[in-house]
Amino acid sequence: MQTVTHYCAASHGATLYYEVTGQGTPLVLLHGNGEDSSYFKHQMPVFSKRYQVIAMDTRAHGRSTRGDAPLDFYLFADDVVAVLEDLGIQKAHILGFSDGGNTALHAALKYPDR
Protein backbone atom coordinates (compact mmCIF):
# COMPACT_ATOMS: atom_id res chain seq x y z
CA MET A 1 0.00 0.00 0.00
CA GLN A 2 1.46 3.32 -1.06
CA THR A 3 0.17 6.30 0.87
CA VAL A 4 0.47 9.79 -0.53
CA THR A 5 0.43 12.65 1.95
CA HIS A 6 -1.17 15.98 1.06
CA TYR A 7 -1.91 19.30 2.63
CA CYS A 8 -4.88 21.33 1.46
CA ALA A 9 -5.60 24.97 2.15
CA ALA A 10 -9.24 25.06 3.27
CA SER A 11 -11.71 27.83 3.76
CA HIS A 12 -11.70 30.02 6.84
CA GLY A 13 -7.94 30.01 7.27
CA ALA A 14 -7.31 26.35 8.15
CA THR A 15 -4.81 23.99 6.58
CA LEU A 16 -6.13 20.43 6.46
CA TYR A 17 -3.97 17.33 6.56
CA TYR A 18 -5.07 14.25 4.65
CA GLU A 19 -3.69 11.01 3.26
CA VAL A 20 -4.76 9.19 0.12
CA THR A 21 -4.22 5.55 -0.75
CA GLY A 22 -5.72 3.03 -3.16
CA GLN A 23 -7.72 3.37 -6.33
CA GLY A 24 -11.38 3.21 -7.20
CA THR A 25 -14.44 5.01 -5.91
CA PRO A 26 -13.40 7.70 -3.39
CA LEU A 27 -14.11 6.93 0.28
CA VAL A 28 -13.55 9.68 2.87
CA LEU A 29 -12.86 8.51 6.43
CA LEU A 30 -13.78 10.91 9.26
CA HIS A 31 -12.63 10.31 12.81
CA GLY A 32 -14.32 11.24 16.08
CA ASN A 33 -13.57 14.13 18.42
CA GLY A 34 -10.11 14.04 19.93
CA GLU A 35 -8.83 11.56 17.33
CA ASP A 36 -7.04 12.01 14.02
CA SER A 37 -6.73 10.15 10.72
CA SER A 38 -4.31 7.62 12.25
CA TYR A 39 -7.39 6.08 13.91
CA PHE A 40 -8.00 4.37 10.55
CA LYS A 41 -4.48 2.92 10.10
CA HIS A 42 -5.82 -0.65 10.19
CA GLN A 43 -8.84 0.01 7.97
CA MET A 44 -7.00 1.91 5.23
CA PRO A 45 -5.11 -1.11 3.82
CA VAL A 46 -8.32 -3.14 3.61
CA PHE A 47 -10.49 -0.37 2.13
CA SER A 48 -7.76 0.67 -0.33
CA LYS A 49 -8.07 -2.66 -2.12
CA ARG A 50 -11.40 -1.43 -3.50
CA TYR A 51 -11.54 2.33 -2.88
CA GLN A 52 -9.45 5.47 -3.17
CA VAL A 53 -9.26 6.08 0.57
CA ILE A 54 -8.98 9.64 1.85
CA ALA A 55 -8.34 9.91 5.60
CA MET A 56 -8.30 13.48 6.85
CA ASP A 57 -7.60 15.19 10.15
CA THR A 58 -10.57 17.35 11.10
CA ARG A 59 -9.57 20.97 11.66
CA ALA A 60 -8.10 21.54 15.14
CA HIS A 61 -7.20 17.83 15.29
CA GLY A 62 -3.99 16.00 14.46
CA ARG A 63 -1.95 17.83 11.84
CA SER A 64 -4.75 20.15 10.69
CA THR A 65 -4.82 23.71 11.94
CA ARG A 66 -7.82 25.33 13.58
CA GLY A 67 -8.36 28.34 11.33
CA ASP A 68 -10.23 31.44 12.41
CA ALA A 69 -13.92 30.46 12.15
CA PRO A 70 -16.13 29.12 14.95
CA LEU A 71 -16.13 25.33 14.87
CA ASP A 72 -19.33 23.60 13.77
CA PHE A 73 -20.32 20.61 11.67
CA TYR A 74 -21.25 22.69 8.60
CA LEU A 75 -17.73 24.15 8.65
CA PHE A 76 -16.32 20.61 8.89
CA ALA A 77 -18.53 19.66 5.91
CA ASP A 78 -16.98 22.56 3.96
CA ASP A 79 -13.57 21.13 4.84
CA VAL A 80 -14.49 17.72 3.46
CA VAL A 81 -15.53 19.37 0.19
CA ALA A 82 -12.31 21.44 0.16
CA VAL A 83 -10.30 18.21 0.29
CA LEU A 84 -12.43 16.69 -2.47
CA GLU A 85 -11.92 19.84 -4.56
CA ASP A 86 -8.17 19.69 -3.94
CA LEU A 87 -8.18 16.15 -5.34
CA GLY A 88 -10.49 16.97 -8.25
CA ILE A 89 -13.17 14.59 -6.94
CA GLN A 90 -16.82 15.37 -7.66
CA LYS A 91 -18.48 12.63 -5.56
CA ALA A 92 -17.41 10.33 -2.73
CA HIS A 93 -18.68 7.94 -0.13
CA ILE A 94 -18.19 9.19 3.43
CA LEU A 95 -17.67 6.97 6.45
CA GLY A 96 -17.54 8.65 9.84
CA PHE A 97 -18.03 7.76 13.47
CA SER A 98 -18.95 9.94 16.43
CA ASP A 99 -18.26 13.56 15.39
CA GLY A 100 -17.08 12.22 12.03
CA GLY A 101 -20.56 10.74 11.57
CA ASN A 102 -22.11 14.11 12.36
CA THR A 103 -19.79 15.74 9.83
CA ALA A 104 -20.81 13.14 7.22
CA LEU A 105 -24.50 13.87 7.85
CA HIS A 106 -23.95 17.63 7.59
CA ALA A 107 -21.97 17.15 4.37
CA ALA A 108 -24.85 15.14 2.90
CA LEU A 109 -27.33 17.85 3.90
CA LYS A 110 -25.26 20.77 2.63
CA TYR A 111 -23.81 19.07 -0.46
CA PRO A 112 -26.29 16.37 -1.55
CA ASP A 113 -24.86 16.34 -5.09
CA ARG A 114 -21.38 15.43 -3.83
Side-chain angles (χ1 to χ4, degrees):
M1 174 180 84
Q2 181 182 15
T3 300
V4 180
T5 302
H6 292 273
Y7 287 90
C8 167
S11 61
H12 310 288
T15 300
L16 301 174
Y17 174 87
Y18 63 93
E19 296 180 357
V20 180
T21 188
Q23 295 180 347
T25 303
L27 171 65
V28 179
L29 303 179
L30 301 173
H31 60 80
N33 188 31
E35 302 285 346
D36 62 30
S37 58
S38 68
Y39 182 88
F40 295 107
K41 66 184 174 191
H42 299 295
Q43 290 80 17
M44 287 181 71
V46 176
F47 288 141
S48 68
K49 292 176 183 175
R50 182 171 177 184
Y51 298 97
Q52 177 187 22
V53 179
I54 304 147
M56 59 183 286
D57 289 353
T58 302
R59 70 170 58 224
H61 290 75
R63 290 165 276 192
S64 292
T65 63
R66 186 186 189 291
D68 54 10
L71 301 179
D72 67 35
F73 290 113
Y74 285 112
L75 178 64
F76 298 159
D78 290 345
D79 292 343
V80 171
V81 171
V83 168
L84 294 177
E85 289 289 326
D86 194 56
L87 291 167
I89 295 171
Q90 187 60 35
K91 292 184 176 213
H93 296 295
I94 302 176
L95 183 155
F97 77 93
S98 189
D99 278 3
N102 285 321
T103 299
L105 291 170
H106 282 76
L109 289 169
K110 190 170 182 179
Y111 301 101
D113 58 324
R114 302 298 304 250

